[in-house]
Amino acid sequence: MASPPTGVILYVNYIFFAVFLGYSLGVAPVIGFNHGAKNHAELKNLFRKSLKIIGLSSIALTLLAITLAGPIAWIYVRYDAALFELSRRAFYIYAFSFLLCGFNIFGSAFFTALNNGMISATISFSRTLLFQTLVIFTLPALLGVDGVWLSVPVAELLALLVTAFFFLAMRKRYHYA
């Protein structure tokens, strides 16, 4: 049975998202500790360094995904040329979600560490359910099959706007910027 492009994307997606999730969950206790200790200088330092780490990782993983779109598709669907090409193109388009998702994952973990579950849940809900649902029903109608693969990057972009809003709106309250 042929593995559809979504299967190929999901297999690799877990590995790439794990980088962001691992970092975010790993740094969250340190953020929470410094927030509780009212060590604003270190909280600011952690926030800035984390954004740099997430930014560099996002660029590296996106470039890696774009570069490896063909070889990754070949691993899973080399037996069918049409399915290979569809999977390669799908993963190439989907790869742009890695530029954005790290900031959203970090944002959710960051606000959890600051004991603000409502903002954390808003970011998480927005990126995983609200925006993905909205764009999956609109983009394919406008762009065809490419709209399916573009729906996650667009949803991540919309979620990034929510994350950036909260980063900016809460910076004085939590003293991280």
Side-chain angles (χ1 to χ4, degrees):
M1 177 148 190
S3 174
T6 52
V8 174
I9 291 169
L10 285 176
Y11 292 140
V12 178
N13 185 51
Y14 290 126
I15 296 167
F16 281 48
F17 275 19
V19 171
F20 300 123
L21 194 57
Y23 177 79
S24 298
L25 295 178
V27 76
V30 181
I31 290 168
F33 174 82
N34 283 288
H35 171 63
K38 299 193 186 321
N39 187 348
H40 303 304
E42 185 56 25
L43 188 59
K44 186 181 291 190
N45 182 43
L46 283 166
F47 180 74
R48 287 182 182 158
K49 283 183 179 178
S50 292
L51 289 182
K52 287 178 186 173
I53 289 168
I54 294 294
L56 291 173
S57 298
S58 296
I59 292 167
L61 288 176
T62 301
L63 291 174
L64 185 65
I66 289 169
T67 303
L68 296 178
I72 288 170
W74 183 83
I75 290 170
Y76 291 101
V77 292
R78 63 181 168 262
Y79 51 84
D80 185 323
L83 189 55
F84 164 78
E85 185 52 36
L86 181 63
S87 297
R88 186 203 58 76
R89 180 168 174 74
F91 193 66
Y92 181 86
I93 294 169
Y94 185 90
F96 290 96
S97 68
F98 301 126
L99 273 176
L100 309 167
C101 70
F103 294 104
N104 297 325
I105 292 169
F106 173 73
S108 182
F110 182 75
F111 285 107
T112 297
L114 296 178
N115 202 29
N116 194 324
M118 184 58 78
I119 290 176
S120 174
T122 300
I123 292 169
S124 185
F125 175 79
S126 295
R127 73 175 281 269
T128 59
L129 187 63
L130 177 66
F131 294 138
Q132 284 187 22
T133 302
L134 288 173
V135 296
I136 198 67
F137 285 116
T138 55
L139 287 182
L142 299 171
L143 304 173
V145 73
D146 283 350
V148 173
W149 318 125
L150 198 55
S151 63
V152 172
V154 170
E156 290 290 354
L157 176 62
L158 294 171
L160 183 61
L161 296 174
V162 173
T163 301
F165 169 79
F166 284 121
F167 278 159
L168 291 170
M170 296 290 138
R171 67 187 186 276
K172 291 187 184 196
R173 178 177 176 184
Y174 294 112
H175 309 284
Y176 56 80

